[in-house]
């Protein structure tokens, strides 16, 4: 879609099952998609051509995420693994194994050195992307972790779960700095403002809440959303945020 006028520019059809995740390359030239058909596809955004299909997963792909430098693409799957792929060649750079159930969500650190993953096994894992080593495992959630999001300065990680809790972690120490219970409904999506002062929270409450992290209060609540909010994203200038819901909007 054209973000300015809402006009549909192109429909991309290649997957044989539902599309669970989309992520733009940092330069905006490519779009990655992860599907229930077990594949990851890379699309040329200008032509709409599928330039590469990556089929290393055994089950559905729940999350795809480009590295900040655009060189790598990470994918998380119901097969319990995360694959890091060379985006240019499509070759598998590394497979990360550590979760005991499917991987719902992924987020790269701003410097590209680390990857966070949230899983059905109720944990968040921090990975060294170069060595594949598990650096830390966070285990305070008591249900599926649907969303993980790194702060812009790389010091903190937010995680949201089926348990209705958002946890702010200090990544290096592994300490839980803050626990936000918006309600007892699942938290599906999280995104930080560019200045790191606010966290946008999408949930089964059918709202998007903009949370002031320093003051620990709601700055804004977007209501009147008919269904669950599965995705949200804050604009690069921090002036806008978008949300996607199961009401098809």
């Amino acid at each position: 879609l054209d973000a300015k006028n809402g006009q549909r520019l192109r429909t991309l059809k290649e997957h044989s099952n539902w599309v669970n995740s989309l992520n733009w390359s940092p330069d905006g030239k490519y779009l990655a998609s992860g599907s229930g058909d077990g594949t990851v596809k890379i699309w040329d955004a200008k032509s709409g051509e599928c330039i590469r299909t990556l089929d290393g997963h055994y089950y559905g792909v729940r999350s795809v995420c480009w590295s900040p430098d655009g060189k790598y693409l990470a994918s998380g799957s119901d097969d319990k693994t995360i694959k890091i792929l060379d985006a240019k060649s499509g070759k598998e750079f590394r497979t990360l194994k550590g979760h005991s159930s499917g991987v719902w969500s992924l987020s790269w650190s701003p410097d590209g050195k680390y990857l966070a993953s949230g899983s059905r096994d109720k944990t968040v894992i921090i990975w060294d992307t170069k060595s594949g080593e598990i650096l830390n495992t966070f285990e305070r959630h008591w249900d599926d972790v649907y969303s993980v999001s790194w702060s812009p300065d790389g010091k903190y990680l937010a995680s949201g779960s089926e348990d209705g809790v958002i946890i702010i972690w200090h990544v290096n120490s592994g300490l839980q700095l803050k626990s936000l219970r918006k309600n007892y409904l699942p938290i599906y999506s999280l995104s930080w403002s560019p200045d790191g002062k606010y966290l946008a929270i999408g949930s089964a409450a059918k709202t998007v809440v903009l949370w002031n992290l320093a003051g620990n209060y709601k700055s804004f609540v977007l209501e009147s959303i008919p269904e669950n909010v599965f995705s949200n994203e804050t604009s690069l200038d921090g002036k806008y945020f978008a949300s996607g819901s199961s009401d098809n909007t």
Side-chain angles (χ1 to χ4, degrees):
L1 301 175
D2 186 306
K4 190 173 183 179
N5 58 30
Q7 181 182 357
R8 181 186 294 183
L9 299 177
R10 192 165 282 105
T11 299
L12 310 179
K13 295 181 179 181
E14 285 282 344
H15 286 295
S16 61
N17 207 319
W18 59 81
V19 177
N20 293 315
S21 181
L22 295 170
N23 194 236
W24 288 94
S25 63
D27 62 8
K29 294 181 179 180
Y30 306 101
L31 183 70
S33 58
S35 169
D37 63 14
T39 69
V40 174
K41 292 182 182 293
I42 298 177
W43 309 82
D44 183 297
K46 189 174 182 179
S47 68
E49 179 187 1
C50 178
I51 60 174
R52 190 161 289 111
T53 298
L54 312 168
D55 56 2
H57 287 292
Y58 294 106
Y59 298 111
V61 177
R62 293 287 180 178
S63 183
V64 290
C65 191
W66 291 86
S67 63
D69 61 7
K71 293 181 179 179
Y72 300 99
L73 184 68
S75 59
S77 169
D78 287 334
D79 65 12
K80 310 176 189 178
T81 71
I82 300 158
K83 292 188 180 294
I84 299 178
L85 308 164
D86 184 298
K88 189 174 183 179
S89 68
K91 292 182 179 179
E92 186 175 309
F93 174 68
R94 181 162 281 110
T95 297
L96 307 179
K97 297 181 180 180
H99 284 295
S100 61
S101 193
V103 179
W104 280 108
S105 53
L106 298 170
S107 181
W108 289 84
S109 63
D111 62 8
K113 294 180 179 179
Y114 311 106
L115 186 71
S117 57
S119 169
R120 279 199 185 109
D121 65 12
K122 310 173 188 178
T123 70
V124 176
I125 292 180
I126 307 296
W127 308 83
D128 183 307
T129 56
K130 189 174 182 179
S131 68
E133 178 187 0
I134 294 176
L135 300 178
N136 215 332
T137 302
F138 304 150
E139 301 180 300
R140 295 294 183 91
H141 286 293
W142 39 273
D143 217 324
D144 297 23
V145 180
Y146 289 133
S147 183
V148 289
S149 182
W150 224 291
S151 66
D153 62 8
K155 294 180 180 179
Y156 310 105
L157 185 80
S159 60
S161 168
E162 174 80 19
D163 61 18
V165 175
I166 302 107
I167 297 177
I168 309 296
W169 308 89
H170 185 270
V171 176
N172 286 345
S173 67
L175 293 175
Q176 176 182 317
L177 298 182
K178 206 180 291 275
S179 179
L180 314 173
R181 181 178 289 281
K182 200 170 94 46
N183 46 50
Y184 286 90
L185 296 173
I187 306 297
Y188 291 123
S189 58
L190 300 169
S191 67
W192 294 77
S193 62
D195 60 11
K197 294 180 179 179
Y198 301 93
L199 189 68
I201 304 163
S203 76
K206 305 175 184 178
T207 63
V208 177
V209 173
L210 193 63
W211 197 277
N212 184 306
L213 293 167
N216 203 28
Y217 62 86
K218 298 176 186 177
S219 291
F220 179 80
V221 180
L222 177 62
E223 299 180 307
S224 302
I225 300 174
E227 297 293 340
N228 300 336
V229 180
F230 286 118
S231 60
N232 78 77
E233 192 70 32
T234 306
S235 63
L236 294 176
D237 60 8
K239 293 181 179 180
Y240 309 100
F241 64 85
S243 63
S245 166
S246 56
D247 68 349
N248 301 329
T249 65

